[in-house]
Amino acid sequence: MTSETLDEHKKRLLALKAALLAAGDNPIEPAEDEGVISKPDEDAQPLVEMSQVIASSRNRARTLELDRILAALGRLEREPDSFGECIECGEDIAPRRLQLMPYVELCVECQQARDQPQGPSGRRHLRDFR
Ligand SMILES: [Zn+2]
């Protein structure tokens, strides 16, 4: 991978990181207009709790993505030579895949293998070939 390409990935990662950080925590409730005083409504309470749950799970997903971005930036700094290689098989990750998700750690094959662990049918298939 050329240093220009590495630089592009780094810029993209930094931009993603900045966007995630700028988004901040999702506001639980919209800001109230000045002059409008809303009195607490007991009926609305379950709804508020539900939206708090949704907001916190969104924040968790955001934190996970941020972790992957920071990890990728770390890899890029420490081992620029192996950046863009699959951490499982060491093959180069497809450039297009890397462009869409510069923080990706696995090539398509390894990702699929991880998503769909080979069940009994997969093993039978292998044995049939021997
Ligand atoms: Zn792989």
Side-chain angles (χ1 to χ4, degrees), residues 85-91 93 105-111:
E85 288 174 5
C86 173
I87 58 167
E88 288 266 324
C89 67
E91 291 288 322
I93 296 170
E105 295 176 338
L106 296 168
C107 69
V108 177
E109 284 79 13
C110 292
Q111 184 70 60

